[in-house]
Amino acid sequence: MLDQRVGKVGAAELDRLIRDQAHQDIAERFQFGAPAVSQLANFDKRSDDELRRAAAESASASERERALWEYAHRNQGRSIEALTHHLRNEADPSVRWNLLWLLVKHGDKAVVPVLKNALHDENAEVRDWASLFLQELTGEHFPTVYNELVWENDRTFDQTLPLQIAGFADVNIPGVGWVQARLSPQWFASILGRVLACTNTDTYLTDLVIEKELLGYHDDGSNHYETFLFRGASYAMSETVTQHVYESNTIRPFYKSGLVKEGPAIMTPVSLSRAAGTERLRPQNMQHVEWRSSDGSDSARGQRLREVGVFRSVRGRFWGWAHTDINRYLESGVVAPGTVQLVSTADPAVGKMANTVIYGTFRGKLGDVTGNGTLSVNSIPCHGTVNGELDLDLDGVADADPRVTKA
């Protein structure tokens, strides 16, 4: 049983909540996708040496990260030494903090010394991620490295938390069979969009809005947004730790052309499932941190945040079906943004086009998203209403997407 004594920080409980357990019943080992022992062909055909070379020499931070995640999946615990080497030499902070996550995935408590070294990284976000992972792995208290927490009073949501997502895409290719692509966080974001988790203090136990953003996707350079309403239930594991089980069922535009926003769209149902654990903190848990609004006012939002708390972190699992435009990939050799669309296998119109299972894990952390050295509670605006409708002008009222042409 998880310790539910009131007042505990909750790190040890959360550690037990999210850790994989050994099960004698083989049914407990199945997941929403190919198991680790499967013999699916690799999407990435590069050798280990080629992956190591790309991780060291590619000019693209995303490609360096992608190579390391592929290498680690193939080599598991044997990859720790190489990952630690790249952590010391990687120039991009976002790759470094995701490397910390990758090390935790494959090294468990053996990487505690590496995480402690990362507490001295020149980048505050890398240090803060290291602090979070150390708290989860050791059960000891490792506070945030920041001393200010700031929220905006004019946002739709009390908190907007960017997520790092990693996992797998199992794709059924005609004439070939099932192929597995390993999705590193930045590669996932480039294909399906950056994901933002949006909550309000009065409904976070049942409601969640997810925003997807593809930067510069449209011809005029503007961003593409999609929003999803998730609903479900939450279970308190301790005073600060909560488990959430949510489902999303929405009607979405699907483009038979294979590319988002190209040609007319068919409206189709999409279902997604998500389970997560969160750690929530109040001022008494962060006594070294000053809580304030950006405009200096003592607002009702500030009172709610102080009373209910803010999410320091979230982690969990997800899965869903999608359609990948195989022909576009075969022609270009690139999985381009907008060529993977979420879809339901049960839909009579487009369900048979579902050829991809997407599943994996996600992490999110309260952090500095503005670069001004403060924890940003809701600085990133969500382009969605509290009911998950699209809100392109950020006024809290639902908008139709002018670029969607229905068939």
Side-chain angles (χ1 to χ4, degrees):
M1 291 291 293
L2 295 176
D3 189 338
Q4 297 192 37
R5 289 174 291 173
V6 173
K8 285 187 67 67
V9 171
E13 293 95 321
L14 186 57
D15 177 62
R16 288 195 293 272
L17 172 65
I18 65 175
R19 185 176 299 280
D20 288 337
Q21 301 293 325
H23 299 288
Q24 295 306 311
D25 180 2
I26 194 171
E28 299 284 0
R29 304 176 190 176
F30 286 94
Q31 59 185 11
F32 293 110
V37 296
S38 70
Q39 300 299 314
L40 296 190
N42 282 351
F43 171 82
D44 195 322
K45 301 299 184 183
R46 290 175 291 182
S47 68
D48 282 1
D49 287 343
E50 289 172 320
L51 292 171
R52 290 283 301 272
R53 189 158 53 250
E57 299 175 1
S58 176
S60 164
S62 176
E63 285 301 308
R64 294 196 301 274
E65 179 185 273
R66 178 186 165 195
L68 288 170
W69 283 69
E70 178 70 26
Y71 178 84
H73 178 81
R74 295 182 191 178
N75 293 278
Q76 302 292 305
R78 300 186 305 276
S79 68
I80 300 304
E81 182 178 352
L83 297 180
T84 303
H85 169 79
H86 282 282
L87 178 66
R88 290 194 297 265
N89 294 280
E90 173 56 49
D92 190 286
S94 64
V95 176
R96 293 204 300 277
W97 68 62
N98 280 331
L99 262 177
L100 295 181
W101 182 20
L102 187 59
L103 281 160
V104 170
K105 279 179 173 290
H106 295 291
D108 196 44
K109 291 186 178 181
V111 303
V112 166
V114 180
L115 295 173
K116 288 184 175 180
N117 285 336
L119 292 174
H120 305 288
D121 194 280
E122 64 182 12
N123 181 270
E125 275 296 285
V126 176
R127 298 197 300 272
D128 207 45
W129 275 106
S131 176
L132 176 64
F133 289 134
L134 280 166
Q135 177 164 300
E136 292 178 0
L137 285 178
T138 67
E140 301 172 13
H141 180 52
F142 283 85
T144 177
V145 304
Y146 297 98
N147 55 28
E148 282 188 282
L149 179 151
V150 179
W151 62 86
E152 307 292 333
N153 283 319
D154 61 350
R155 299 287 194 258
T156 300
F157 291 92
D158 291 336
Q159 187 163 4
T160 55
L161 201 66
L163 302 181
Q164 306 294 326
I165 300 181
F168 305 90
D170 297 344
V171 186
N172 192 7
I173 300 177
V176 175
W178 286 96
V179 173
Q180 185 174 85
R182 285 86 191 220
L183 302 172
S184 58
Q186 292 193 39
W187 195 34
F188 180 100
S190 72
I191 298 169
L192 285 159
R194 184 271 287 134
V195 176
L196 190 70
C198 311
T199 54
N200 279 315
T201 54
D202 57 342
T203 58
Y204 78 93
L205 290 173
T206 57
D207 290 20
L208 165 75
V209 171
I210 289 290
E211 174 197 271
K212 284 173 49 183
E213 175 190 65
L214 280 171
L215 289 172
Y217 181 76
H218 300 132
D219 291 340
D220 62 1
S222 60
N223 303 333
H224 169 75
Y225 292 101
E226 296 180 40
T227 50
F228 302 77
L229 175 65
F230 283 75
R231 283 195 168 133
S234 300
Y235 312 90
M237 313 308 289
S238 74
E239 184 187 21
T240 58
V241 175
T242 307
Q243 180 179 355
H244 312 269
V245 182
Y246 292 148
E247 183 181 54
S248 175
N249 292 285
T250 57
I251 303 298
R252 323 220 44 95
F254 178 85
Y255 298 85
K256 279 195 168 183
S257 67
L259 183 66
V260 170
K261 299 286 180 67
E262 181 181 271
I266 297 173
M267 304 308 291
T268 180
V270 168
S271 297
L272 297 169
S273 297
R274 179 183 189 271
T278 56
E279 180 193 11
R280 193 176 67 259
L281 297 179
R282 300 182 180 89
Q284 58 266 35
N285 306 119
M286 307 171 71
Q287 294 184 7
H288 70 292
V289 177
E290 175 191 358
W291 291 47
R292 62 177 178 84
S293 66
S294 62
D295 60 13
S297 65
D298 188 15
S299 62
R301 168 165 284 164
Q303 294 173 14
R304 294 195 305 270
L305 288 171
R306 289 187 176 95
E307 178 182 350
V308 177
V310 298
F311 294 117
R312 182 192 182 188
S313 60
V314 60
R315 74 284 295 140
R317 291 182 177 274
F318 71 95
W319 84 280
W321 280 93
H323 167 73
T324 299
D325 190 327
I326 303 297
N327 291 331
R328 289 179 191 266
Y329 167 72
L330 294 176
E331 291 172 1
S332 66
V334 176
V335 184
T339 59
V340 180
Q341 302 179 72
L342 298 176
V343 68
S344 169
T345 58
D347 182 64
V350 299
K352 291 185 178 180
M353 295 182 69
N355 60 3
T356 304
V357 188
I358 300 178
Y359 57 100
T361 56
F362 56 87
R363 302 291 310 231
K365 180 187 70 64
L366 182 66
D368 176 13
V369 301
T370 62
N372 62 5
T374 63
L375 292 170
S376 308
V377 179
N378 61 350
S379 297
I380 304 176
C382 176
H383 295 78
T385 70
V386 294
N387 293 316
E389 303 124 328
L390 200 61
D391 177 18
L392 293 173
D393 56 7
L394 304 175
D395 64 354
V397 179
D399 300 319
D401 189 333
R403 291 183 170 84
V404 174
T405 303
K406 297 180 183 179

